[in-house]
């Protein structure tokens, strides 16, 4: 599958939990593997491709509002580049915790 996004209204943070592929962020093609994390803003050109032999498993979070860009920057993800997590299992666990909390409902 290939996704090309040009005018998505949110800031997106994506974490790669499995598989391999590549992302194009702002015209720069970068490899994705377990532990990769990146962010894209509303004006960021983003293309995503998964390796058919090892499909990507991804977690993503969308942020909106006047403070979203600043939060992404403070997290070290403000530039259009892929970063590699040093503890991918711990980060996957944090994403799973977010999903459980969201499923519980409420504020």
């Amino acid at each position: 599958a290939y996704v090309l996004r040009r005018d998505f209204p949110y800031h997106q943070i994506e974490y790669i939990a499995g598989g391999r592929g590549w992302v194009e962020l702002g015209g720069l093609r970068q490899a994705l593997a377990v532990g990769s994390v990146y962010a894209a803003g509303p004006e960021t050109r983003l293309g995503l491709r998964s390796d058919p032999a090892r499909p990507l498993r991804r977690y993503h979070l969308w942020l909106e509002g006047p403070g979203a860009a600043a939060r992404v920057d403070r997290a070290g993800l403000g530039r259009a580049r892929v970063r590699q997590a040093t503890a991918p299992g711990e980060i996957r666990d944090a994403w799973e915790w977010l999903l459980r909390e969201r499923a519980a409902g409420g504020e």
Side-chain angles (χ1 to χ4, degrees):
Y2 181 74
V3 176
L4 179 60
R5 181 196 83 172
R6 294 182 198 273
D7 58 354
F8 191 67
Y10 306 103
H11 291 268
Q12 173 183 339
I13 297 174
E14 187 153 292
Y15 175 73
I16 305 303
R20 299 188 70 79
W22 60 263
V23 65
E24 182 182 316
L25 288 169
L28 180 62
R29 184 175 167 162
Q30 301 169 72
L32 296 174
V34 174
S36 296
V37 63
Y38 65 88
E43 302 300 320
T44 305
R45 183 170 179 209
L46 172 80
L48 180 67
R49 187 176 300 270
S50 185
D51 179 341
R54 296 180 67 188
L56 290 170
R57 290 192 325 265
R58 312 172 300 153
Y59 293 92
H60 58 269
L61 176 70
W62 298 339
L63 306 168
E64 66 177 329
R71 288 177 185 260
V72 170
D73 285 341
R74 281 196 305 273
L77 298 170
R79 298 186 192 347
R81 67 178 186 161
V82 173
R83 310 229 10 193
Q84 189 63 34
T86 57
E90 291 177 25
I91 292 177
R92 185 198 61 244
D93 291 347
W95 282 101
E96 287 295 326
W97 177 83
L98 284 170
L99 290 172
R100 284 191 306 275
E101 287 298 307
R102 175 61 186 119
E107 298 288 320

XYZ file of all heavy atoms in Angstrom:
840
model
N 0.848 -1.190 0.000
C 0.000 0.000 0.000
C 0.881 1.236 0.000
O 1.975 1.220 0.550
C -0.905 0.003 1.218
N 0.393 2.255 -0.616
C 1.104 3.526 -0.634
C 0.135 4.614 -0.245
O -0.979 4.665 -0.753
C 1.670 3.808 -2.022
C 2.447 5.095 -2.098
C 3.710 5.181 -1.534
C 1.911 6.223 -2.695
C 4.426 6.348 -1.586
C 2.624 7.399 -2.749
C 3.887 7.457 -2.195
O 4.594 8.618 -2.235
N 0.527 5.445 0.672
C -0.298 6.550 1.131
C 0.437 7.835 0.782
O 1.630 7.964 1.061
C -0.510 6.482 2.664
C -1.279 7.682 3.151
C -1.198 5.199 3.057
N -0.241 8.761 0.182
C 0.334 10.077 -0.092
C -0.626 11.107 0.458
O -1.786 11.149 0.083
C 0.541 10.291 -1.593
C 1.117 11.639 -1.994
C 2.494 11.832 -1.358
C 1.227 11.727 -3.498
N -0.158 11.911 1.365
C -0.986 12.894 2.038
C -0.418 14.270 1.761
O 0.749 14.507 1.978
C -0.957 12.594 3.528
C -1.795 13.524 4.331
C -1.411 13.396 5.757
N -0.240 14.225 5.970
C 0.281 14.473 7.139
N -0.197 13.919 8.208
N 1.323 15.257 7.261
N -1.239 15.173 1.301
C -0.762 16.523 1.008
C -1.410 17.587 1.888
O -0.806 18.609 2.140
C -1.023 16.859 -0.450
C -0.241 16.025 -1.420
C -0.538 16.483 -2.834
N -0.169 15.492 -3.817
C 1.027 15.384 -4.356
N 1.981 16.197 -4.014
N 1.276 14.456 -5.239
N -2.628 17.374 2.321
C -3.331 18.439 3.045
C -4.117 17.896 4.238
O -5.276 18.203 4.428
C -4.232 19.223 2.103
C -5.260 18.333 1.417
O -5.194 17.101 1.595
O -6.124 18.868 0.723
N -3.491 17.087 5.045
C -4.082 16.522 6.249
C -4.113 17.626 7.309
O -3.097 18.282 7.532
C -3.215 15.345 6.687
C -3.810 14.488 7.748
C -4.923 13.724 7.484
C -3.233 14.430 8.994
C -5.454 12.902 8.450
C -3.751 13.612 9.974
C -4.874 12.843 9.697
N -5.223 17.863 7.998
C -5.311 19.030 8.883
C -4.658 18.879 10.263
O -4.693 19.810 11.057
C -6.824 19.228 9.032
C -7.394 17.870 8.863
C -6.501 17.179 7.860
N -4.065 17.731 10.568
C -3.526 17.484 11.904
C -2.014 17.303 11.878
O -1.428 17.040 10.855
C -4.147 16.208 12.494
C -5.633 16.210 12.491
C -6.346 15.485 11.541
C -6.345 16.946 13.422
C -7.728 15.494 11.528
C -7.723 16.963 13.419
C -8.411 16.230 12.467
O -9.768 16.255 12.454
N -1.427 17.396 13.059
C -0.043 16.968 13.254
C -0.124 15.490 13.600
O -0.953 15.073 14.401
C 0.614 17.744 14.392
C 0.841 19.170 14.053
N 2.012 19.621 13.508
C 0.029 20.241 14.154
C 1.918 20.915 13.293
N 0.720 21.307 13.671
N 0.729 14.693 13.004
C 0.698 13.244 13.189
C 2.043 12.773 13.712
O 3.084 13.165 13.206
C 0.407 12.573 11.854
C 0.512 11.070 11.880
C 0.282 10.467 10.507
O -0.311 11.085 9.640
N 0.759 9.256 10.316
N 1.993 11.918 14.732
C 3.180 11.213 15.210
C 2.933 9.739 14.920
O 1.868 9.211 15.229
C 3.414 11.435 16.713
C 3.668 12.916 16.994
C 4.578 10.563 17.204
C 3.758 13.251 18.461
N 3.913 9.090 14.316
C 3.746 7.686 13.969
C 4.939 6.890 14.496
O 6.082 7.334 14.385
C 3.620 7.527 12.457
C 3.285 6.110 12.068
C 2.545 6.029 10.760
O 1.384 6.468 10.701
O 3.146 5.535 9.803
N 4.639 5.732 15.045
C 5.657 4.825 15.583
C 5.547 3.492 14.857
O 4.451 2.946 14.684
C 5.438 4.623 17.089
C 6.382 3.606 17.661
C 7.723 3.913 17.828
C 5.945 2.339 17.994
C 8.607 2.969 18.322
C 6.821 1.395 18.494
C 8.145 1.714 18.650
O 9.011 0.783 19.127
N 6.663 2.938 14.434
C 6.696 1.668 13.715
C 6.981 0.543 14.708
O 8.054 0.484 15.309
C 7.763 1.684 12.596
C 7.548 2.871 11.649
C 7.763 0.351 11.845
C 6.184 2.941 10.986
N 5.997 -0.344 14.892
C 6.114 -1.443 15.848
C 6.551 -2.751 15.191
O 6.947 -3.686 15.879
C 4.779 -1.660 16.560
N 6.492 -2.816 13.859
C 6.895 -4.031 13.169
C 6.985 -3.805 11.672
O 6.450 -2.836 11.142
N 7.691 -4.688 11.004
C 7.818 -4.620 9.559
C 8.905 -3.674 9.095
O 9.719 -3.184 9.877
N 8.882 -3.420 7.781
C 9.854 -2.521 7.161
C 9.159 -1.741 6.064
O 8.139 -2.164 5.533
C 11.015 -3.302 6.562
C 11.788 -4.121 7.597
C 13.042 -4.726 7.034
N 14.055 -3.745 6.751
C 14.865 -3.165 7.644
N 14.755 -3.483 8.895
N 15.790 -2.316 7.279
N 9.733 -0.626 5.711
C 9.188 0.189 4.631
C 9.965 1.476 4.516
O 11.122 1.556 4.942
N 9.317 2.487 3.966
C 9.953 3.790 3.875
C 8.891 4.869 3.933
O 7.718 4.642 3.686
C 10.831 3.931 2.649
C 10.131 3.773 1.324
C 10.072 2.649 0.563
C 9.427 4.777 0.597
N 9.368 2.882 -0.578
C 8.957 4.182 -0.584
C 9.131 6.115 0.827
C 8.205 4.880 -1.530
C 8.385 6.811 -0.114
C 7.934 6.194 -1.268
N 9.334 6.040 4.312
C 8.480 7.215 4.352
C 9.180 8.335 3.601
O 10.404 8.448 3.648
C 8.154 7.639 5.810
C 9.400 8.093 6.558
C 7.085 8.715 5.849
N 8.413 9.117 2.903
C 8.933 10.335 2.291
C 8.340 11.494 3.066
O 7.129 11.672 3.120
C 8.508 10.427 0.828
C 9.068 11.660 0.149
C 8.609 11.776 -1.287
O 8.620 10.765 -1.995
O 8.235 12.895 -1.674
N 9.214 12.245 3.711
C 8.812 13.407 4.503
C 9.410 14.646 3.869
O 10.635 14.776 3.816
C 9.326 13.299 5.943
C 8.657 12.285 6.839
C 9.455 12.129 8.124
C 7.249 12.708 7.140
N 8.568 15.528 3.391
C 9.058 16.767 2.805
C 10.037 16.553 1.673
O 10.981 17.317 1.519
N 9.869 15.482 0.901
C 10.732 15.228 -0.241
C 11.951 14.370 0.052
O 12.697 14.041 -0.857
N 12.157 13.969 1.299
C 13.304 13.140 1.668
C 12.824 11.724 2.005
O 12.009 11.535 2.912
C 14.034 13.739 2.870
C 15.244 12.986 3.381
C 16.332 12.906 2.316
C 15.782 13.675 4.630
N 13.315 10.731 1.248
C 12.928 9.342 1.469
C 13.811 8.744 2.561
O 15.043 8.835 2.490
C 13.077 8.560 0.172
C 12.619 7.139 0.290
C 12.672 6.466 -1.054
N 12.533 5.038 -0.873
C 12.201 4.205 -1.822
N 11.984 4.639 -3.030
N 12.101 2.929 -1.576
N 13.163 8.102 3.562
C 13.875 7.544 4.707
C 13.330 6.157 5.028
O 12.133 5.909 4.918
C 13.698 8.465 5.921
C 14.213 9.888 5.648
C 13.803 10.840 6.740
O 14.334 10.758 7.839
N 12.876 11.735 6.448
N 14.232 5.263 5.456
C 13.856 3.884 5.784
C 13.101 3.826 7.105
O 13.341 4.624 8.018
C 15.104 3.018 5.867
N 12.198 2.842 7.197
C 11.443 2.580 8.424
C 11.668 1.139 8.860
O 11.692 0.228 8.035
C 9.943 2.787 8.190
C 9.484 4.184 7.837
C 7.996 4.169 7.497
C 9.764 5.144 8.983
N 11.834 0.943 10.161
C 11.990 -0.376 10.762
C 11.440 -0.295 12.180
O 11.033 0.786 12.636
C 13.460 -0.790 10.775
N 11.439 -1.407 12.880
C 10.952 -1.411 14.256
C 11.684 -0.342 15.063
O 12.909 -0.251 15.021
C 11.165 -2.797 14.902
C 10.794 -2.765 16.377
C 10.349 -3.842 14.167
N 10.921 0.492 15.752
C 11.496 1.554 16.569
C 11.567 2.900 15.887
O 11.895 3.894 16.524
N 11.243 2.974 14.607
C 11.251 4.266 13.906
C 10.079 5.118 14.381
O 8.981 4.617 14.618
C 11.126 4.075 12.391
O 12.222 3.380 11.865
N 10.322 6.397 14.507
C 9.265 7.341 14.890
C 9.477 8.622 14.092
O 10.606 9.029 13.850
C 9.244 7.589 16.419
C 10.525 8.230 16.906
C 8.042 8.398 16.830
N 8.392 9.226 13.675
C 8.473 10.483 12.928
C 7.180 11.253 13.121
O 6.173 10.727 13.608
C 8.731 10.238 11.442
C 7.628 9.537 10.712
C 6.577 10.250 10.142
C 7.627 8.163 10.597
C 5.555 9.592 9.481
C 6.616 7.501 9.941
C 5.580 8.225 9.387
O 4.565 7.573 8.733
N 7.217 12.519 12.762
C 6.038 13.376 12.834
C 5.901 14.132 11.526
O 6.888 14.376 10.826
C 6.164 14.353 13.997
N 4.682 14.489 11.221
C 4.388 15.272 10.028
C 3.315 16.291 10.384
O 2.345 15.957 11.071
C 3.914 14.376 8.895
N 3.504 17.508 9.930
C 2.528 18.561 10.173
C 1.533 18.672 9.042
O 1.644 17.975 8.027
N 0.559 19.558 9.185
C -0.476 19.708 8.167
C 0.060 20.066 6.785
O -0.547 19.706 5.787
C -1.344 20.839 8.710
C -1.089 20.873 10.158
C 0.323 20.408 10.345
N 1.178 20.740 6.717
C 1.719 21.155 5.428
C 2.844 20.248 4.932
O 3.414 20.490 3.880
C 2.252 22.590 5.525
C 1.206 23.600 5.968
C 0.029 23.677 5.016
O 0.233 23.627 3.787
O -1.112 23.766 5.502
N 3.167 19.191 5.688
C 4.251 18.294 5.319
C 3.785 17.307 4.260
O 2.787 16.611 4.449
C 4.748 17.499 6.540
O 5.104 18.399 7.577
C 5.948 16.631 6.192
N 4.502 17.223 3.170
C 4.204 16.207 2.167
C 4.694 14.872 2.714
O 5.853 14.734 3.105
C 4.898 16.534 0.861
C 4.536 15.542 -0.189
C 5.004 15.948 -1.539
N 4.591 14.868 -2.443
C 5.210 14.548 -3.531
N 6.258 15.240 -3.922
N 4.793 13.574 -4.266
N 3.808 13.890 2.740
C 4.104 12.603 3.360
C 3.701 11.483 2.422
O 2.573 11.440 1.943
C 3.321 12.471 4.668
C 3.377 11.114 5.355
C 4.671 10.979 6.137
C 2.204 10.927 6.280
N 4.621 10.580 2.137
C 4.326 9.359 1.394
C 4.811 8.183 2.219
O 5.839 8.272 2.886
N 4.079 7.086 2.213
C 4.411 5.940 3.046
C 4.247 4.667 2.216
O 3.247 4.500 1.531
C 3.469 5.900 4.250
C 3.653 4.781 5.249
C 4.977 4.929 5.990
C 2.502 4.783 6.237
N 5.249 3.800 2.295
C 5.171 2.527 1.585
C 5.663 1.417 2.514
O 6.680 1.552 3.174
C 6.016 2.547 0.325
C 5.808 1.288 -0.530
C 6.568 1.319 -1.833
N 6.201 2.421 -2.695
C 5.232 2.379 -3.625
N 4.524 1.301 -3.776
N 5.002 3.419 -4.383
N 4.930 0.311 2.487
C 5.263 -0.844 3.296
C 5.926 -1.900 2.419
O 5.544 -2.083 1.259
C 3.964 -1.402 3.891
O 4.217 -2.449 4.772
N 6.908 -2.614 2.957
C 7.530 -3.743 2.264
C 6.504 -4.877 2.226
O 6.042 -5.324 3.276
C 8.776 -4.169 3.036
C 9.502 -5.354 2.431
O 8.903 -6.101 1.632
O 10.682 -5.539 2.768
N 6.121 -5.354 1.043
C 5.102 -6.405 0.965
C 5.490 -7.684 1.716
O 4.628 -8.391 2.228
C 4.968 -6.686 -0.530
C 5.601 -5.548 -1.231
C 6.589 -4.935 -0.279
N 6.772 -7.977 1.789
C 7.229 -9.181 2.486
C 7.220 -9.005 4.003
O 7.151 -9.992 4.742
C 8.635 -9.562 2.015
N 7.304 -7.756 4.473
C 7.325 -7.456 5.911
C 6.490 -6.209 6.147
O 7.018 -5.119 6.356
C 8.756 -7.243 6.381
C 9.585 -8.532 6.228
C 10.994 -8.354 6.674
N 11.040 -8.136 8.106
C 12.153 -7.802 8.760
N 13.278 -7.667 8.104
N 12.141 -7.615 10.047
N 5.155 -6.336 6.100
C 4.273 -5.168 6.197
C 4.467 -4.388 7.505
O 4.738 -4.965 8.552
C 2.865 -5.758 6.141
C 3.029 -7.134 5.597
C 4.414 -7.572 5.943
N 4.315 -3.087 7.395
C 4.446 -2.210 8.557
C 3.290 -2.427 9.528
O 2.142 -2.591 9.125
C 4.450 -0.749 8.116
C 5.677 -0.272 7.350
C 5.433 1.111 6.778
C 6.904 -0.278 8.247
N 3.627 -2.416 10.800
C 2.640 -2.333 11.882
C 2.912 -1.006 12.559
O 4.030 -0.751 13.023
C 2.787 -3.507 12.842
C 2.348 -4.813 12.214
C 2.202 -5.943 13.220
N 3.154 -5.928 14.318
C 4.301 -6.610 14.338
N 4.658 -7.343 13.308
N 5.095 -6.545 15.387
N 1.885 -0.148 12.599
C 2.105 1.234 13.003
C 1.121 1.673 14.080
O -0.002 1.211 14.121
C 1.913 2.161 11.805
C 2.641 1.716 10.577
C 2.289 2.537 9.353
N 0.876 2.452 9.054
C 0.189 3.388 8.420
N 0.743 4.490 8.021
N -1.093 3.234 8.166
N 1.582 2.571 14.917
C 0.733 3.305 15.841
C 0.805 4.762 15.408
O 1.884 5.250 15.059
C 1.254 3.213 17.274
C 1.188 1.835 17.886
C 2.259 0.971 17.799
C 0.061 1.433 18.590
C 2.214 -0.283 18.383
C 0.014 0.180 19.186
C 1.093 -0.672 19.075
O 1.046 -1.907 19.663
N -0.310 5.452 15.448
C -0.240 6.875 15.133
C -1.167 7.667 16.045
O -2.150 7.157 16.571
C -0.536 7.154 13.659
C -1.870 6.681 13.209
N -2.047 5.443 12.681
C -3.074 7.272 13.206
C -3.318 5.274 12.363
N -3.966 6.370 12.682
N -0.799 8.917 16.227
C -1.513 9.845 17.084
C -1.667 11.139 16.318
O -0.711 11.616 15.703
C -0.686 10.076 18.362
C -1.200 11.091 19.364
C -2.460 10.572 20.037
C -0.129 11.366 20.411
N -2.857 11.689 16.315
C -3.106 12.968 15.649
C -3.326 14.038 16.690
O -4.058 13.855 17.654
C -4.332 12.872 14.747
C -4.190 11.889 13.640
C -3.033 11.395 13.108
C -5.237 11.248 12.936
N -3.301 10.506 12.101
C -4.650 10.396 11.976
C -6.624 11.314 13.000
C -5.399 9.622 11.106
C -7.366 10.539 12.127
C -6.760 9.710 11.200
N -2.691 15.169 16.491
C -2.802 16.312 17.399
C -3.357 17.499 16.630
O -3.034 17.698 15.460
C -1.429 16.687 17.961
C -0.637 15.582 18.640
C 0.792 16.037 18.882
C -1.297 15.192 19.935
N -4.146 18.311 17.310
C -4.630 19.525 16.677
C -4.664 20.650 17.716
O -4.514 20.418 18.898
C -6.023 19.322 16.076
C -7.102 19.073 17.092
C -8.476 18.961 16.460
O -8.719 19.600 15.424
O -9.307 18.228 17.004
N -4.852 21.844 17.240
C -4.948 22.992 18.122
C -3.718 23.864 18.062
O -2.689 23.487 17.483
N -3.798 25.025 18.690
C -2.705 26.004 18.579
C -1.384 25.553 19.193
O -0.336 26.012 18.797
C -3.255 27.240 19.286
C -4.415 26.781 20.086
C -4.931 25.534 19.452
N -1.385 24.618 20.123
C -0.138 24.178 20.740
C 0.443 22.910 20.148
O 1.495 22.446 20.589
N -0.200 22.336 19.143
C 0.234 21.038 18.609
C 1.641 21.096 18.023
O 2.473 20.230 18.314
C -0.761 20.533 17.562
N 1.930 22.094 17.206
C 3.259 22.187 16.576
C 4.351 22.330 17.633
O 5.406 21.695 17.535
C 3.302 23.348 15.596
N 4.104 23.127 18.655
C 5.093 23.322 19.717
C 5.335 22.020 20.487
O 6.474 21.705 20.843
C 4.644 24.424 20.666
N 4.298 21.248 20.715
C 4.462 19.975 21.435
C 5.296 18.985 20.618
O 6.155 18.290 21.154
C 3.111 19.372 21.778
C 2.407 20.115 22.872
C 1.042 19.525 23.145
N 0.345 20.329 24.105
C 0.257 20.028 25.397
N 0.819 18.939 25.851
N -0.395 20.819 26.211
N 5.045 18.936 19.326
C 5.824 18.056 18.448
C 7.289 18.497 18.452
O 8.198 17.674 18.547
C 5.228 18.033 17.026
C 6.155 17.336 16.051
C 3.855 17.368 17.032
N 7.530 19.800 18.376
C 8.899 20.325 18.417
C 9.587 19.964 19.735
O 10.738 19.533 19.743
C 8.909 21.842 18.238
C 8.658 22.262 16.801
O 8.835 21.430 15.883
O 8.291 23.440 16.605
N 8.890 20.155 20.864
C 9.479 19.848 22.175
C 9.804 18.363 22.319
O 10.701 17.993 23.064
C 8.559 20.308 23.303
C 8.636 21.788 23.574
C 8.023 22.173 24.912
N 6.653 21.739 25.088
C 5.573 22.413 24.700
N 5.701 23.556 24.078
N 4.365 21.935 24.927
N 9.073 17.523 21.607
C 9.338 16.081 21.647
C 10.516 15.696 20.758
O 10.903 14.534 20.712
C 8.088 15.319 21.206
N 11.105 16.669 20.057
C 12.244 16.394 19.189
C 11.856 15.836 17.835
O 12.690 15.276 17.127
N 10.581 15.994 17.463
C 10.089 15.435 16.214
C 9.674 16.511 15.214
O 9.004 16.206 14.224
C 8.898 14.509 16.491
C 9.202 13.312 17.368
C 7.920 12.602 17.772
C 10.149 12.363 16.657
N 10.049 17.747 15.454
C 9.603 18.843 14.611
C 10.210 18.885 13.220
O 9.646 19.462 12.313
N 11.338 18.284 13.035
C 11.957 18.263 11.712
C 11.437 17.054 10.925
O 11.089 16.048 11.489
C 13.471 18.166 11.843
C 14.094 19.360 12.557
C 15.590 19.266 12.511
N 16.436 20.086 13.286
C 16.194 21.163 13.977
N 15.007 21.634 14.043
N 17.117 21.817 14.632
N 11.406 17.174 9.636
C 10.902 16.098 8.778
C 11.958 15.000 8.644
O 12.605 14.854 7.622
C 10.509 16.650 7.411
N 12.142 14.237 9.720
C 13.116 13.153 9.674
C 12.679 12.022 10.594
O 11.953 12.230 11.566
C 14.497 13.634 10.065
C 14.592 14.049 11.498
C 15.982 14.467 11.871
N 16.008 14.703 13.303
C 17.080 14.733 14.023
N 18.242 14.566 13.450
N 17.028 14.945 15.300
N 13.131 10.846 10.284
C 12.835 9.655 11.078
C 13.867 9.555 12.188
O 15.057 9.732 11.967
C 12.874 8.390 10.193
C 12.737 7.129 11.037
C 11.783 8.451 9.130
N 13.402 9.267 13.380
C 14.290 9.021 14.517
C 14.150 7.564 14.899
O 13.125 6.952 14.641
C 13.880 9.916 15.690
C 13.728 11.351 15.239
C 14.357 12.386 15.992
N 15.279 12.006 16.997
C 15.724 12.839 17.893
N 15.318 14.074 17.871
N 16.582 12.470 18.793
N 15.171 7.027 15.544
C 15.151 5.622 15.940
C 15.128 5.529 17.462
O 15.999 6.084 18.131
C 16.382 4.899 15.384
C 16.351 3.412 15.538
C 15.224 2.751 14.780
O 14.838 3.204 13.707
N 14.680 1.700 15.340
N 14.143 4.848 17.997
C 14.023 4.675 19.444
C 15.083 3.696 19.943
O 15.396 2.710 19.273
C 12.636 4.144 19.783
N 15.614 3.958 21.123
C 16.608 3.062 21.713
C 15.956 1.950 22.526
O 16.615 0.955 22.822
C 17.590 3.839 22.610
O 16.848 4.523 23.618
C 18.401 4.826 21.781
N 14.687 2.120 22.901
C 13.959 1.099 23.672
C 12.597 0.863 23.014
O 11.558 1.231 23.546
C 13.800 1.552 25.115
N 12.591 0.218 21.832
C 11.334 0.083 21.096
C 10.237 -0.662 21.845
O 9.065 -0.340 21.703
C 11.721 -0.642 19.805
C 13.106 -1.094 19.964
C 13.718 -0.361 21.109
N 10.590 -1.641 22.658
C 9.575 -2.370 23.420
C 8.854 -1.480 24.417
O 7.637 -1.581 24.589
N 9.594 -0.613 25.094
C 8.990 0.301 26.061
C 8.061 1.294 25.376
O 7.004 1.629 25.901
C 10.078 1.035 26.835
C 10.856 0.138 27.758
C 11.982 0.868 28.471
O 11.903 2.104 28.634
O 12.941 0.188 28.861
N 8.445 1.754 24.206
C 7.601 2.696 23.482
C 6.334 2.004 22.993
O 5.236 2.547 23.100
C 8.382 3.356 22.334
C 9.457 4.248 22.936
C 7.452 4.146 21.426
C 10.349 4.910 21.956
N 6.460 0.776 22.489
C 5.270 0.023 22.086
C 4.333 -0.148 23.270
O 3.107 0.003 23.153
C 5.671 -1.338 21.517
C 4.475 -2.123 20.973
C 4.765 -3.602 20.809
N 5.107 -4.185 22.100
C 6.288 -4.715 22.402
N 7.264 -4.775 21.531
N 6.519 -5.204 23.601
N 4.876 -0.442 24.459
C 4.056 -0.595 25.659
C 3.321 0.703 25.987
O 2.158 0.676 26.411
C 4.907 -1.023 26.853
C 5.440 -2.447 26.718
O 4.955 -3.195 25.838
O 6.353 -2.784 27.500
N 3.978 1.839 25.795
C 3.328 3.131 26.054
C 2.165 3.354 25.084
O 1.097 3.836 25.484
C 4.340 4.274 25.943
N 2.346 3.008 23.801
C 1.248 3.124 22.838
C 0.087 2.218 23.240
O -1.082 2.619 23.155
C 1.720 2.781 21.428
C 2.488 3.878 20.772
C 3.839 3.951 20.650
C 1.977 5.052 20.139
N 4.188 5.097 19.981
C 3.062 5.784 19.655
C 0.685 5.544 19.940
C 2.915 6.989 18.990
C 0.526 6.747 19.270
C 1.638 7.458 18.806
N 0.386 1.002 23.662
C -0.674 0.086 24.083
C -1.409 0.643 25.300
O -2.632 0.510 25.413
C -0.099 -1.308 24.386
C 0.302 -2.076 23.152
C -0.897 -2.420 22.272
O -2.005 -2.662 22.796
O -0.721 -2.452 21.035
N -0.690 1.271 26.224
C -1.318 1.903 27.385
C -2.266 3.007 26.930
O -3.393 3.113 27.431
C -0.233 2.461 28.318
C -0.814 3.191 29.486
C -1.272 2.638 30.650
C -1.012 4.602 29.591
N -1.755 3.630 31.465
C -1.600 4.841 30.850
C -0.757 5.689 28.751
C -1.941 6.122 31.279
C -1.092 6.949 29.178
C -1.669 7.165 30.425
N -1.818 3.844 25.971
C -2.697 4.899 25.448
C -3.981 4.314 24.864
O -5.071 4.840 25.077
C -1.975 5.715 24.382
C -0.948 6.721 24.855
C -0.152 7.264 23.676
C -1.618 7.855 25.611
N -3.853 3.215 24.116
C -5.034 2.581 23.529
C -5.979 2.045 24.611
O -7.196 2.197 24.502
C -4.625 1.463 22.593
C -3.957 1.911 21.289
C -3.407 0.708 20.536
C -4.921 2.701 20.432
N -5.423 1.437 25.642
C -6.272 0.939 26.738
C -6.985 2.076 27.453
O -8.163 1.982 27.757
C -5.436 0.123 27.734
C -5.087 -1.255 27.265
C -4.500 -2.104 28.393
N -3.376 -1.495 29.053
C -2.100 -1.578 28.636
N -1.808 -2.258 27.551
N -1.135 -1.017 29.324
N -6.247 3.155 27.712
C -6.846 4.307 28.391
C -7.957 4.920 27.543
O -9.005 5.309 28.061
C -5.785 5.355 28.717
C -4.875 4.944 29.844
C -5.632 4.746 31.138
O -6.372 5.660 31.564
O -5.490 3.674 31.750
N -7.733 5.029 26.267
C -8.744 5.605 25.371
C -9.992 4.715 25.339
O -11.106 5.203 25.339
C -8.170 5.784 23.954
C -9.165 6.261 22.950
C -9.708 7.631 23.363
N -10.767 8.007 22.466
C -12.021 8.239 22.835
N -12.357 8.152 24.094
N -12.921 8.599 21.966
N -9.788 3.412 25.320
C -10.922 2.477 25.287
C -11.750 2.556 26.576
O -12.939 2.267 26.548
C -10.416 1.057 25.063
N -11.114 2.972 27.667
C -11.821 3.086 28.944
C -12.793 4.270 28.941
O -13.682 4.341 29.785
C -10.817 3.219 30.093
N -12.616 5.211 28.008
C -13.531 6.345 27.893
C -13.199 7.464 28.856
O -12.221 7.414 29.597
N -14.004 8.501 28.819
C -13.833 9.636 29.702
C -12.828 10.634 29.172
O -12.322 10.504 28.057
N -12.545 11.635 29.958
C -11.593 12.674 29.591
C -10.199 12.111 29.665
O -9.217 12.583 29.532
C -11.744 13.902 30.479
C -13.092 14.563 30.361
C -13.262 15.282 29.021
O -12.307 15.917 28.548
O -14.358 15.192 28.466
